Amino acid sequence: MLGILVTVAAGSAAALAVQTAAPAAQVGGLQREQIERIVHDYILAHPEILPEAMERLSAKRTGDTISAKRSAIETPYAGAWEGAANGDVTVVEFFDYACGYCRASLPDLAKLVVNDPKVKVVYRELPILSAESAEAAKVSLLAAERGRYVPFHKALYNAGRVTRETIMAAAAGVGIDRKSAEAALTNPAYDREIAANVALAQELRASGTPTFVVGNQILNGAVGYDALKDAVDKARK
């Protein structure tokens, strides 16, 4: 904690040396106790730096988590993606078909794909709102295997409230027969995929749906097209 506070308080190479290179007992002729007093007094005089310091620390921890799990986060299940197959930036959405904010984000993602030919959007099922959203997620994964993910995804959102019948109707509309769709509801492979998504969301400390992962950033909620575009631009840099 001392190293972090010194860096925040001084913002200099000498302060950074407290974290990395210099002996713990003495830095530049100053004893540890003197350094601690300087940091203490600086923070008391400038308490406004603490929120910024904690925000930066949180962002670093989030980035570290994403980096460690990037392959699991960005690798889609079968065909559960759209946009550029080998995009230079991947936007991942953890979503629930019963989530109104996820529905509201649909045109923002569509606009992003149209306007940026180098973006890949990966969809990760996170059915946390209802039993019906879990059923929708399983049939959605079947659609991904059949190469019909995006048409099913949009058809189900356009169908209104998620029910067993709207799920089956959306499946039929993209060429998936009812027998196959109903079999998907008890497919253990889909249960495992959903469980893996839930575990990832927990590690990322996702606060709900939709949650977007772009580069080393996490965006919570229906943030809109501009915020998604800005996140993509930042990741690209």
Side-chain angles (χ1 to χ4, degrees), residues 142-166:
L142 171 63
E145 293 175 346
R146 298 278 184 92
R148 306 298 297 162
Y149 186 86
V150 173
F152 173 83
H153 186 78
K154 295 181 178 179
L156 185 51
Y157 270 128
N158 290 334
R161 181 170 172 268
V162 178
T163 66
R164 176 73 65 88
E165 288 310 309
T166 57

Side-chain angles (χ1 to χ4, degrees), residues 89-234:
V89 175
T90 299
V91 175
V92 181
E93 182 192 21
F94 288 81
F95 76 98
D96 187 316
Y97 280 110
C99 169
Y101 295 107
C102 300
R103 183 193 307 275
S105 297
L106 199 64
D108 298 323
L109 290 169
K111 183 177 179 180
L112 190 65
V113 168
V114 169
N115 291 347
D116 193 331
K118 294 184 179 180
V119 163
K120 181 176 186 177
V121 177
V122 170
Y123 296 99
R124 306 213 76 88
E125 273 41 279
L126 190 64
I128 56 177
L129 297 178
S130 68
E132 289 78 14
S133 58
E135 292 186 347
K138 293 176 183 180
V139 178
S140 183
L141 293 172
L142 171 63
E145 293 175 346
R146 298 278 184 92
R148 306 298 297 162
Y149 186 86
V150 173
F152 173 83
H153 186 78
K154 295 181 178 179
L156 185 51
Y157 270 128
N158 290 334
R161 181 170 172 268
V162 178
T163 66
R164 176 73 65 88
E165 288 310 309
T166 57
I167 295 168
M168 295 300 155
V174 299
I176 298 174
D177 62 276
R178 189 179 184 101
K179 183 178 179 181
S180 296
E182 289 180 340
L185 304 182
T186 57
N187 189 327
Y190 302 154
D191 289 324
R192 290 192 293 271
E193 172 64 13
I194 291 170
N197 289 344
V198 170
L200 280 174
Q202 290 173 338
E203 290 191 64
L204 296 170
R205 298 181 182 180
S207 60
T209 55
T211 291
F212 298 96
V213 181
V214 188
N216 284 338
Q217 306 167 77
I218 292 181
L219 294 81
N220 294 301
V223 295
Y225 170 78
D226 289 341
L228 290 171
K229 182 179 182 302
D230 288 345
V232 168
D233 291 342
K234 184 177 179 180

